[in-house]
């Protein structure tokens, strides 16, 4: 249960569709979540489940049309971002909410020096002079661990390595000290050692600046160390949400079980075979009326295919949408904990 005094972002019943020649794609279907001040919320799930669309809708970056918000509210410090005009949102983006995109090479402007790209937001939102903005850009590059920032500020994105481009993106996103940082797959294109460095950097900066973070990823390994809470998304809906400890040590949804069983574990001495989730996600042109995971779930019952499961609150921080929580459901053994219920 959210503490209203601590909540920075409160998304309620967000429903987003895209109108195409083939029909309506129901990308996000009634998603609700909140982010507290200074915390990290991870939204995890397979590609195509609606994570990035949710993040881009919060930033009001989805093209309308073809995209449209069918219903829902996006409250940021009490203001409903879904009701703001484009001009009003321009004052929020970069200054109060910033975003790190998946691919820094396509997100950075290849024709502009990196320093100038950092300076743009500072001159617009902080009313800095060109000289002040350049000093701040150098300071930001130094803060994100960029070697020789005085030299790098004059270079173009193609002169940077993948890890350096991602650091530059973080510098741009954090230049105006935003209250909320949305990181959309920030380590996807990087090797494992650079991934660890980038996540460590984001944690350090969060402590220094007290920034809230929404981390969007399909990589549970990345999530394990950095997230305070985790929301598990599937086919446009959040199927389970809880603290990082609850999701990793006491998950309750079969989809969450499947995600965890497909991740290598170092705490098991003997070799363990990874088990992929069989099947494919549902077609969001015509999503199922029942539980979206029913077609791939080995525990699926008739009711799962006919009716969407209600929300079951396991405690103040942990909830799940699953018919296995019903008192009349058959008892199954949790494959992660080994406990029956």
């Amino acid at each position: 249960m959210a503490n209203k005094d601590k909540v920075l972002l409160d998304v309620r019943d967000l429903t987003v569709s895209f109108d195409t020649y083939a029909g309506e794609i129901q990308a996000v279907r009634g998603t609700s979540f909140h982010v507290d001040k200074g915390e990290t919320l991870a939204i995890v799930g397979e590609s195509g489940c609606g994570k990035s669309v949710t993040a881009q809708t919060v930033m009001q970056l989805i093209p309308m049309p073809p995209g449209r918000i069918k219903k829902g509210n996006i409250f940021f410090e009490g203001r409903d971002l879904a009701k703001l005009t484009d001009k009003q949102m321009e004052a929020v983006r970069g200054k109060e909410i910033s975003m790190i995109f998946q691919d820094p090479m396509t997100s950075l402007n290849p024709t502009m020096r990196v320093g100038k790209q950092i300076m743009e937001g500072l001159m617009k939102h902080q009313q800095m002079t060109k000289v002040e903005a350049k000093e701040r850009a150098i300071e930001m590059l130094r803060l994100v661990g960029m070697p020789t920032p005085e030299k790098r500020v004059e270079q173009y994105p193609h002169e940077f390595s993948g890890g350096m481009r991602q650091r530059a993106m973080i510098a741009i996103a954090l230049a105006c000290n935003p209250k909320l940082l949305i990181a959309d797959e920030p380590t996807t294109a990087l090797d494992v050692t650079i991934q660890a460095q980038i996540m460590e950097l984001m944690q350090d900066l969060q402590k220094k600046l007290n920034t809230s973070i929404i981390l969007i990823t399909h990589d549970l390994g990345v999530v394990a160390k950095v997230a305070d809470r985790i929301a598990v998304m599937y086919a446009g809906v959040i199927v389970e949400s809880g603290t990082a400890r609850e999701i990793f040590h006491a998950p309750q949804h079969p989809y969450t079980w499947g995600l965890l069983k497909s991740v290598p574990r170092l705490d098991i001495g003997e070799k363990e075979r990874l088990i992929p989730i069989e099947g494919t996600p549902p077609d969001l042109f015509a999503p199922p009326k029942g539980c979206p995971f029913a077609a791939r779930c080995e525990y699926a019952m008739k009711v799962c295919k006919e009716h969407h499961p209600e929300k079951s609150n396991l405690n103040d921080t942990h909830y799940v949408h699953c018919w296995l929580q019903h008192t009349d459901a058959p008892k199954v053994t949790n494959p992660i904990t080994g406990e029956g219920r």
Side-chain angles (χ1 to χ4, degrees), residues 17-57:
S17 287
F18 291 88
D19 296 310
T20 71
Y21 290 115
E24 179 190 351
I25 301 173
Q26 300 176 46
V28 180
R29 305 182 298 128
T31 291
S32 298
F33 62 89
H34 73 275
V35 184
D36 289 338
K37 294 169 185 174
E39 83 161 345
T40 299
L41 170 73
I43 302 178
V44 302
E46 290 169 278
S47 296
C49 73
K51 307 184 301 293
S52 294
V53 172
T54 300
Q56 288 173 17
T57 305

Side-chain angles (χ1 to χ4, degrees), residues 1 6 34 36 39-42 44 220 223-224 226-232 240-252 256 260 314-320:
M1 195 174 292
K6 291 173 62 181
H34 73 275
D36 289 338
E39 83 161 345
T40 299
L41 170 73
V44 302
L220 283 168
V223 167
V226 302
D228 297 304
R229 288 187 301 112
I230 299 171
V232 181
E240 183 170 8
S241 179
T243 64
R245 182 166 188 82
E246 286 164 345
I247 297 299
F248 279 101
H249 297 284
Q252 298 299 316
T256 313
L260 290 169
L314 306 172
N315 56 45
D316 286 348
T317 56
H318 193 183
Y319 70 82
V320 63

Side-chain angles (χ1 to χ4, degrees), residues 38 72 103 105 139 143 155 157 176 203 233 243 263 268 306 338:
D103 185 0
M105 195 61 214
E139 184 187 323
L143 190 65
Q155 292 184 325
C176 295
Q203 278 186 293
M233 200 167 191
T243 64
V263 174
I268 298 176
E306 297 296 325

